[in-house]
Amino acid sequence: MNGAGHAMPSRTPTRSALQQPFSRRHFLAAAAAGAITPAWSRAHAAWQGEPSQPPDSTAAAASPQLAAQTRSLMPVPYSVQWRTGGMPLSSGFYAAATGATRQDERVEAALSRLMMRIARRTALNLDPWRRGAPATAGLLVNCQAAGPHFPALGEDENYRLEISPEQARLEAPGIAGALRGLETLYQLIEAQPPGYGFPAVVIEDRPRFAWRGLLLDVSRHFQSVAEVERTLELMACCKFNVLHWHLSDDQGFRVESRVFPRLQELGSDGQFYSQSEIRQVIEHARRLGIRILPEFDMPAHTQAWMPGYPRLGSAPGPYHIARTFGYHNAVFDPTRGYVYHFLDRFFAEMAGLFPDAFLHIGGDENKGPEWRENTDIRAFMRRHGIHSKAGLQTYFNRRLNPIVRRHGKIMAGWEEILNPKLPKDVVVEAWLSVGALANIVKHGNRGILSAGYYLDLMWPAAQHYAVDPIPADSPMSAEEKARVLGGEACMWGEFVPPPILDSHIWPRAAAIAERLWSPAGVHDVPDMYRRLNLTSLELEALGSTHRALPGMLLRGFARGQNPAPLLTFMDVIEPIKGYGHSQHTYNVFTPPAFMCYAAPPESAARQWLPPLVQSFLRRPQSAAGKAAGRRLLQLFTAWDRGYEGYKKLLPHGPQMAELEPLYRALAGLGAAGRTAVRSLMGQQPLPGDWTAQKLAALAAIQPKYGDVILIIGPQMALLLDAADTGKTSGSEPVS
């Protein structure tokens, strides 16, 4: 599952990258995401940590024909029929509801939210609470049935949206479909001079998968109620419908238990959600049509349980909350009746608190040393014919599942819980690979996919977008495919203190949301990025800080000085990919006070530098080529001058000094880039060994400074190679 409760974050950040004993789950999930693959260009991928994609894979221009069809819609609906004309928006615009829609306050609240968002977008003076006659309403919403009080797996999310010059009509079988349709309606707002309006269109939409989740780990770093609720609102914008709430791990137990109060008293450092706050979050999610799936990881990842209740453990203790990340050996004793009596009472309490039909029990990353070292446990295994750690965990799960069922819940867990005798109603989450998901459904269990969707790996949106729960070449039978419920983006929290939560999730998670909602044939990467940039703006309008955070942190580093040199640097760096953090000592107290926290998971240069270089290399002597060449010269000069400005800022933010070698290397690349461009433009010849020296310097740059990487290597290599050979991408010698 995740690392420390899920599988990814299990690593020991206090060691160098080469010494890290990464979690096997993290390693395999990284491999499934494409992070551990033969580099397409070993000379450069080695230092920059690039994914296994060509340097221009996310930069190609979107097809005009496709852009005209998808416009600003994300996720892309099942069916869209554009018509001529549209409906203008004015200050008299209001909404009305008919049928079962009027009986559910969720739609009323959603309509008011929509009207406020439309007003902010269009500057129209709209009354969010105005309702009137359906015949003259600008928006008419009708649901055939209200649906369940709390969102549920399998709830009908279909809807039909038709916009004519006279009215927008949204019809859905239930409230869930209406909520999804309202998000689509908002995305359709466009400028229709002299104001705004909606285009004429007919949309028939339904999700491809019923389970579209986002895992939020609040154990490693606690996130406030406000942050969780904001995350829910951003999820609704992208049509996610499950918040997988990872509430316990070695670093913290985050839920108030009134039956076992020492869980939060001794296991949370005072950072936990009261039961009233839990209910508040659940109600907020209900109004947005989002399920809350609680996870209490066990039998491993349980160290925070044991300061208050040491009898749960397999070792004598003493126990304390974990302060570091990676593997911790604390594990429940599955041979002790006390453990099951405790869990029976605990799950009875939690089942009354969380209304969803499912309860996630984790089940991952149990290394087993405390079981091996406990003589009573070894004797128990001999008596019961249990021959392995996996066998003992199977015994634990077989006793745990009836407890969960007795309290009206269906068990879910990471794929380590899978075994031939696992009840078929248990949902299993695959983190290893899509192949692991195929194995789950082949066993007869329902499955969800998280492998390839680990946001904390810091891969580009395109890499996540390429992962499909049911790929085109899947060996699954039709019956097995029907057991694939969907997938989950995972935001494990080891390196995500509260201020940087949004920047690590958004907007990349929206690409995963589209993969889980839209038809399988929607997979054009350039068009995805075009629409993702628009979605990013909408997420920001809803309160996400993913775009504002870098500037905020950099201004803090500059302490009143002009941070422009830092912004120049930020355009061409990204955090180290995977779990290769090497310079800092990361634990639960590490503050977000380093440049790597400001670095975006996907830098601006990843999108705009490849087409700029290609435009120049195609025909350096053409008008377009010369224009691109001048832009490159400006860029390379900014890198060079930015380094001088950076050095002037160092006295104000000494922690920035760790990046000096990397910024100096960028300045050197800027100087080399100017020379290469001028040579290709016929302005100056190159010395005989100049290119070899510069390529060697390029390959020597290592990703060890400040836990960030330069992402410009492939483009600089193309430019230097072209300058050396005198050949452009069009195979025309430079005159």
Side-chain angles (χ1 to χ4, degrees), residues 26 28 39 88 127 149 196 212-213 228 249 255 282 294 393 436 447-448 557 584 593 601 635 661 668 699 703 722:
H26 283 206
L28 292 173
D127 180 351
H149 182 73
Y196 289 88
R212 307 178 306 281
V228 175
D249 216 298
V255 177
I282 291 171
Q393 183 153 336
I448 53 179
F557 295 150
H584 304 135
L635 174 67

Side-chain angles (χ1 to χ4, degrees), residues 490-503:
C490 294
M491 185 68 262
W492 297 105
E494 283 87 343
F495 307 120
V496 190
I500 64 171
L501 177 66
D502 289 353
S503 66

Side-chain angles (χ1 to χ4, degrees), residues 107-268:
V107 172
E108 179 64 29
L111 289 175
S112 296
R113 286 196 307 272
L114 174 69
M115 298 294 284
M116 287 186 279
R117 290 170 67 189
I118 293 175
R120 288 195 298 267
R121 172 80 177 276
T122 64
L124 290 170
N125 190 18
L126 301 178
D127 180 351
W129 293 276
R130 178 187 173 188
R131 303 293 180 263
T136 55
L139 169 63
L140 180 62
V141 182
N142 178 65
C143 294
Q144 298 172 11
H149 182 73
F150 289 104
L153 177 65
E155 187 175 0
D156 196 334
E157 297 177 278
N158 296 2
Y159 67 89
R160 185 180 191 275
L161 176 62
E162 181 174 0
I163 303 176
S164 68
E166 294 76 30
Q167 189 178 58
R169 297 179 61 90
L170 173 61
E171 299 193 10
I175 300 302
L179 295 175
R180 309 301 175 233
L182 291 176
E183 292 294 340
T184 300
L185 177 69
Y186 179 78
Q187 291 179 6
L188 289 167
I189 297 173
E190 62 182 17
Q192 294 179 352
Y196 289 88
F198 295 109
V201 67
V202 176
I203 294 176
E204 302 272 359
D205 202 8
R206 61 175 183 263
R208 183 177 172 213
F209 294 106
W211 191 306
R212 307 178 306 281
L214 171 67
L215 179 144
L216 184 62
D217 173 12
V218 297
S219 178
R220 278 49 173 275
H221 282 99
F222 184 71
Q223 307 289 342
S224 70
V225 169
E227 287 155 337
V228 175
E229 290 187 339
R230 183 180 68 250
T231 299
L232 287 165
E233 291 163 7
L234 300 173
M235 290 172 62
C237 177
C238 301
K239 298 186 174 68
F240 281 112
N241 67 353
V242 181
L243 176 69
H244 180 162
W245 211 357
H246 187 75
L247 290 164
S248 71
D249 216 298
D250 297 311
Q251 293 78 16
F253 187 94
R254 304 302 185 191
V255 177
E256 177 194 13
S257 172
R258 296 171 182 172
V259 177
F260 298 109
R262 292 201 301 274
L263 285 172
Q264 69 268 12
E265 290 170 0
L266 300 181
S268 73

Side-chain angles (χ1 to χ4, degrees), residues 372-618:
R372 292 192 298 270
E373 295 165 7
N374 186 309
T375 56
D376 291 339
I377 291 177
R378 293 202 307 271
F380 179 92
M381 293 174 67
R382 287 193 296 271
R383 289 196 304 271
H384 290 80
I386 300 172
H387 305 293
S388 66
K389 170 180 68 70
L392 187 56
Q393 183 153 336
T394 296
Y395 171 86
F396 173 77
N397 289 333
R398 290 180 65 186
R399 292 198 61 177
L400 186 62
N401 186 55
I403 295 173
V404 174
R405 291 296 302 179
R406 184 160 57 251
H407 298 296
K409 301 298 182 183
I410 301 171
M411 193 167 81
W414 302 104
E415 69 182 81
E416 285 91 334
I417 72 172
L418 185 66
N419 67 82
K421 296 183 179 180
L422 187 70
K424 301 309 178 189
D425 64 339
V426 175
V427 172
V428 183
E429 187 162 0
W431 58 267
L432 288 168
S433 65
V434 176
L437 179 62
N439 186 47
I440 290 166
V441 297
K442 184 177 181 179
H443 273 74
N445 291 86
R446 292 175 294 176
I448 53 179
L449 181 70
S450 61
Y453 298 146
Y454 276 52
L455 295 170
D456 56 328
L457 285 171
M458 303 304 240
W459 295 116
Q463 197 141 338
H464 298 303
Y465 195 63
V467 179
D468 196 304
I470 306 177
D473 60 351
S474 172
M476 301 179 200
S477 67
E479 183 180 3
E480 291 165 351
K481 290 177 181 178
R483 289 196 283 269
V484 175
L485 296 178
E488 290 186 343
C490 294
M491 185 68 262
W492 297 105
E494 283 87 343
F495 307 120
V496 190
I500 64 171
L501 177 66
D502 289 353
S503 66
H504 279 47
I505 298 176
W506 311 107
R508 293 177 301 144
I512 300 173
E514 175 162 285
R515 174 58 55 237
L516 299 174
W517 177 283
S518 299
V522 176
H523 50 62
D524 186 274
V525 171
D527 188 63
M528 180 273 289
Y529 272 105
R530 180 189 63 80
R531 292 177 291 107
L532 187 65
N533 290 333
L534 298 174
T535 298
S536 179
L537 297 174
E538 300 307 331
L539 293 167
E540 185 178 31
L542 283 171
S544 175
T545 62
H546 67 279
R547 292 166 62 95
L549 177 79
M552 180 189 73
L553 292 178
L554 296 179
R555 287 189 293 274
F557 295 150
R559 302 305 298 171
Q561 306 300 306
N562 185 356
L566 304 181
L567 293 169
T568 298
F569 191 44
M570 207 58 53
D571 276 348
V572 296
I573 65 170
E574 293 178 3
I576 286 179
K577 306 306 177 184
Y579 299 107
H581 299 80
S582 59
Q583 185 157 337
H584 304 135
T585 298
Y586 292 93
N587 57 40
V588 297
F589 305 118
T590 304
F594 301 105
M595 287 279 281
C596 61
Y597 285 111
E602 193 157 5
S603 69
R606 186 183 286 274
Q607 293 192 45
W608 55 253
L609 184 58
L612 185 62
V613 171
Q614 291 161 16
S615 177
F616 173 66
L617 292 182
R618 193 170 294 116

Side-chain angles (χ1 to χ4, degrees), residues 294-313:
E295 180 187 350
F296 299 98
D297 205 350
M298 58 187 69
H301 293 294
T302 48
Q303 188 161 320
W305 297 61
M306 296 172 191
Y309 300 93
R311 288 180 61 198
L312 293 170

Side-chain angles (χ1 to χ4, degrees), residues 17 28 33 59 102-103 178 213 228 262 336 343 349 384 444 526 601 709-710:
L28 292 173
R102 302 177 62 186
Q103 304 169 14
V228 175
R262 292 201 301 274
R336 193 176 296 171
L343 293 176
E349 182 182 23
H384 290 80
I709 55 175
L710 286 173

